[in-house]
Amino acid sequence: MTSAELPSFDLVVATVDRTAELDRLLSSLDRQTHRGFRVLVVDQNDDDRIADVVAAHDLDVLRLRSPRGLSRARNVALPHLAANVVAFPDDDCAYADEDLLERVGRRFLDHPDLDGLTGRAVGVAGSSSPSWETDNAILTDDNLWNRAISFTIFLRRGLLTEAGQFDEQLGLGSGTPWSSGEEIDLLIRAVRSGARISYDPQLTVRHEDATLEADELRALGYRDGASVGYLLRKHRYPARVRSRMLIRPLGGAVASLGRGDGARARFHLATLRGRVDGLRGRVK
């Protein structure tokens, strides 16, 4: 099988305020063994800071402009999609495995019934957060929460056409309290429509989490928790799922206290508060 037989890819990269990170991502794309891809760079900067960064790489790039907001930027790119498979790498992640697109492409080629693939996020050392599931699975609206993040998602273009746009109430820069979870919202809609999406933890994308102070960690927990609550409410999840999603951070707080990790316990409690407030539709 030659690379030319593999599906083509459109990689949608929303970017704002970053140059060195974007350069690192594009450098990782330079090294991909499968060359059948295009990069749709959706520029949300008010200046031309990324022009030299993009020009420094021998890649097929379509540069678009968008107002700030992650979901808005991705929606700007949707009408321009033309490839078989679409992915949404963050501007500060990297495709560290040089054969990542080749492996993903072969999976889609070998499994025509597959509508999408998701993988796992890893740090520079190759390790993942313990929250990531380690088993292969077909996604359902019940199990997808710890098996996907935007930069590890690969979807057939036809599925995106059917699923519709990203919810602009969600995602960084949305101007709402629900500043994450836009990709989970899309996956919920997709699997509920009958899409077959597989999670493979062996497919990894490098994304190093920032080191946060205690107050920043609590704010992150509350923000992401509120977005999860919004999704549970928006998609009318049953009480058993809502209960589980509230018990989980409470358990994390108890476990953290048992280890003497007060900062992590406060993070889990902030996550719990966010989920409760998101469910209620009001946040502080």
Side-chain angles (χ1 to χ4, degrees):
M1 183 186 304
T2 66
S3 182
E5 297 176 88
L6 296 177
S8 58
F9 289 79
D10 275 337
L11 310 178
V12 177
V13 182
T15 186
V16 63
D17 296 337
R18 292 177 174 139
T19 53
E21 296 90 341
L22 178 63
D23 183 63
R24 185 169 61 244
L25 167 62
L26 297 180
S27 293
S28 76
L29 299 181
D30 284 331
R31 297 188 291 271
Q32 287 296 301
T33 55
H34 177 43
R35 305 305 302 171
F37 67 88
R38 179 178 60 152
V39 187
L40 286 72
V41 177
V42 189
D43 186 357
Q44 301 170 88
N45 293 294
D46 298 325
D47 53 30
D48 209 29
R49 71 182 68 190
I50 69 167
D52 290 341
V53 175
V54 172
H57 299 272
D58 186 21
L59 296 170
D60 182 3
V61 175
L62 174 63
R63 190 171 164 198
L64 303 167
R65 288 280 188 175
S66 166
R68 295 203 174 198
L70 185 54
S71 290
R72 295 186 193 99
R74 289 172 175 164
N75 285 341
V76 164
L78 294 184
H80 300 273
L81 299 178
N84 304 120
V85 178
V86 183
F88 299 92
D90 282 356
D91 61 356
D92 60 344
C93 77
Y95 284 7
D97 292 338
E98 296 178 5
D99 64 344
L100 178 64
L101 290 180
E102 181 178 349
R103 289 159 59 206
V104 171
R106 289 183 187 278
R107 286 284 293 277
F108 279 110
L109 190 63
D110 292 343
H111 299 278
D113 62 328
L114 199 62
D115 297 302
L117 269 173
T118 68
R120 180 170 53 93
V122 298
V124 171
S127 60
S128 288
S129 162
S131 64
W132 280 95
E133 301 292 350
T134 58
D135 61 314
N136 288 271
I138 296 298
L139 296 190
T140 69
D141 65 356
D142 196 30
N143 74 7
L144 56 75
W145 301 92
N146 299 95
R147 291 183 171 91
I149 193 167
S150 59
F151 52 86
T152 69
I153 295 172
F154 301 86
L155 302 174
R156 291 194 192 270
R157 177 164 53 91
L159 174 57
L160 278 170
T161 301
E162 294 174 7
Q165 293 191 329
F166 287 91
D167 183 348
E168 294 185 3
Q169 293 294 305
L170 290 163
L172 291 172
S174 64
T176 74
W178 333 112
S179 52
S180 64
E182 73 290 338
E183 77 278 36
I184 301 300
D185 174 69
L186 181 70
L187 289 178
I188 293 169
R189 288 185 275 129
V191 298
R192 286 188 174 182
S193 72
R196 182 176 173 84
I197 303 173
S198 178
Y199 168 64
D200 183 352
Q202 299 305 311
L203 298 174
T204 62
V205 177
R206 181 183 296 169
H207 190 287
E208 189 66 15
D209 290 332
T211 301
L212 301 177
E213 299 294 333
D215 288 347
E216 295 172 317
L217 189 62
R218 286 199 302 276
L220 177 65
Y222 185 85
R223 182 201 77 181
D224 288 351
S227 298
V228 168
Y230 172 97
L231 291 173
L232 294 171
R233 177 167 49 89
K234 174 182 177 179
H235 293 289
R236 303 186 182 210
Y237 271 86
R240 63 174 180 81
V241 177
R242 296 185 182 202
S243 299
R244 188 187 75 222
M245 298 297 276
L246 296 178
I247 291 170
R248 183 171 292 172
L250 183 60
V254 171
S256 297
L257 285 173
R259 295 192 301 269
D261 189 344
R264 181 60 59 171
R266 287 187 288 274
F267 161 77
H268 288 299
L269 290 174
T271 300
L272 174 59
R273 287 194 300 272
R275 291 184 181 183
V276 170
D277 287 351
L279 275 166
R280 291 174 173 171
R282 61 175 186 266
V283 295
K284 63 181 180 181

